[in-house]
Structures are given as C-alpha cells and as structure tokens.
Amino acid sequence: MGVKIWLPFPVLLLAILYPVLLPVAAAFTPSLDSDFTFTLPAGQKECFYQPMPLKASLEIEYQVLDGAGLDIDFHLASPQGRTLVFEQRKSDGVHTIETEDGDYMFCFDNTFSTISEKVIFFELILDNMGEQMQEQEDWKKYITGTDMLDMKLEDILDPTIKIRFSEDVQFRVHLRIHQQYQGQTKQKRSHPDSA
C-alpha cells in the first residue's frame, strides 16, 4: 500500500496555479523611481522634463516641506502641451497617468509668493518602461575590471583589512618619529650647545 502525502492547501493551490501565474508575473517590469528635494525662491517657477515611452505609467508625488503657507501651484503637461493637471496653492499631491511617447513637463510655481521661498520634495515612479529600462541597465555589462574601484565597501568593512591598514599606519608613524629623532640627534651633535 502506497504512502499518501497530504499537502497543505496553499501549497497545492500554488502548484495548480503556477502555470497560470508565471506569464502574469513575467509581464511585470520593475519600476524606476527617483526623488528630488529643492528650494524654490519666492516669485519663481521651476519646470522639469521626463521622457516617457508609449503606454508606460508616470506617477508624480510632491509635497511642500517648508515655507509660508506650505503651498505651491503644480502644473503637469503632455508632450503636445496639453494641461493634464493644474493645481493651485496645494501642499501635496499624487498624480498617475498612462503616457504617450514624448517629454512630459511638470512645473512648481511660486510666483504668487513675494517673500517666502518653498522647499519642495517630489518623487517620480516610472512603471512599464519596457525596453527603455533594459537599455539603462545594459551599460553595466560593458564595464571591465579596470573600470571598477579596486576597493569595495565590503573590503573596507573587512576587519582583516582594517588591521593591515592600522598596522601600516602605525608603522609609518613610528618610522617618522624615528627619522625625526635621528634628525634631531644629528643636529645636536653637529651644533653642540655653548654654555
């Protein structure tokens, strides 16, 4: 008589759904994100441009961190110059759009303020970038060993290297002290004190 093995339901369900879920999981591409904090002087407007491919996703999140009123005007325009979002005197906002091919412009406008500068934080999250994202990673395969730093962070944190570095520094310090002492002794012998 054979031994029956009972699998827990989640494992069994996962085994059944694996062929279905794999293509879906492979379709997801990791997102690119970056953030930036800057100071916008009173009476000024600052615009940024982000190139995007067709049918990608662009999410812009912003927040006024400092400045009187904690408010700013925000404008997002399509590559054709159409206004997609226009907000006045807001302290924060989050906007997600499906993109067309081209450069999107987003501006932070502090022209309504005559005295107060604003500190603004914004984050861009770019999803479904497809081949463009892969192209940005392709440069890594062309780097050779000579282009990289000889010492990595792991090497610096390695205690044996610290010890060798410490011993080397200690040796050099002792050598300099000895050389200095020898120089002073020679100088005393060549110029005896006349008392």
Side-chain angles (χ1 to χ4, degrees):
M1 200 169 206
V3 178
K4 291 184 180 180
I5 299 175
W6 291 94
L7 295 174
F9 182 71
V11 173
L12 186 59
L13 184 62
L14 185 59
I16 292 169
L17 293 178
Y18 181 75
V20 175
L21 294 176
L22 184 62
V24 174
F28 287 108
T29 57
S31 64
L32 297 171
D33 63 342
S34 57
D35 54 69
F36 189 60
T37 302
F38 69 101
T39 301
L40 185 58
Q44 298 290 314
K45 178 180 178 179
E46 188 74 42
C47 293
F48 300 87
Y49 297 88
Q50 177 61 49
M52 294 297 295
L54 182 64
K55 295 192 182 208
S57 172
L58 169 63
E59 181 178 314
I60 300 174
E61 179 178 354
Y62 71 91
Q63 182 178 8
V64 181
L65 301 176
D66 192 23
L70 294 177
D71 55 356
I72 199 76
D73 291 349
F74 176 77
H75 180 229
L76 173 62
S78 73
Q80 290 75 30
R82 275 189 341 265
T83 296
L84 302 173
V85 177
F86 182 70
E87 298 178 322
Q88 291 184 303
R89 297 201 172 203
K90 296 282 186 175
S91 61
D92 57 22
V94 179
H95 304 285
T96 304
I97 57 169
E98 187 174 304
T99 63
E100 306 167 13
D101 188 42
D103 294 340
Y104 283 78
M105 177 184 76
F106 55 101
C107 300
F108 299 96
D109 189 343
N110 196 25
T111 55
F112 61 85
S113 179
T114 56
I115 299 173
S116 178
E117 66 181 19
K118 307 289 170 73
V119 176
I120 301 167
F121 163 84
F122 71 88
E123 179 179 28
L124 294 178
I125 301 173
L126 315 175
D127 281 325
N128 301 325
M129 295 295 285
E131 292 178 15
Q132 185 174 352
M133 186 170 165
Q134 183 59 41
E135 289 172 8
Q136 290 179 356
E137 295 294 315
D138 283 347
W139 65 270
K140 291 179 182 177
K141 65 184 174 188
Y142 296 108
I143 293 179
T144 62
T146 57
D147 295 334
M148 296 194 155
L149 296 174
D150 290 333
M151 199 172 228
K152 297 182 207 124
L153 182 58
E154 298 89 54
D155 295 337
I156 293 170
L157 297 176
D158 185 0
T160 58
I161 291 177
K162 281 186 195 174
I163 292 168
R164 278 188 264 143
F165 178 74
S166 177
E167 289 172 351
D168 184 49
V169 170
Q170 187 177 8
F171 175 75
R172 289 181 186 187
V173 168
H174 285 292
L175 182 63
R176 286 191 187 124
I177 291 171
H178 180 71
Q179 289 171 340
Q180 209 170 22
Y181 177 75
Q182 290 293 330
Q184 288 173 354
T185 305
K186 286 182 183 177
Q187 192 175 20
K188 285 183 181 178
R189 289 184 188 158
S190 62
H191 302 292
D193 289 338
S194 54

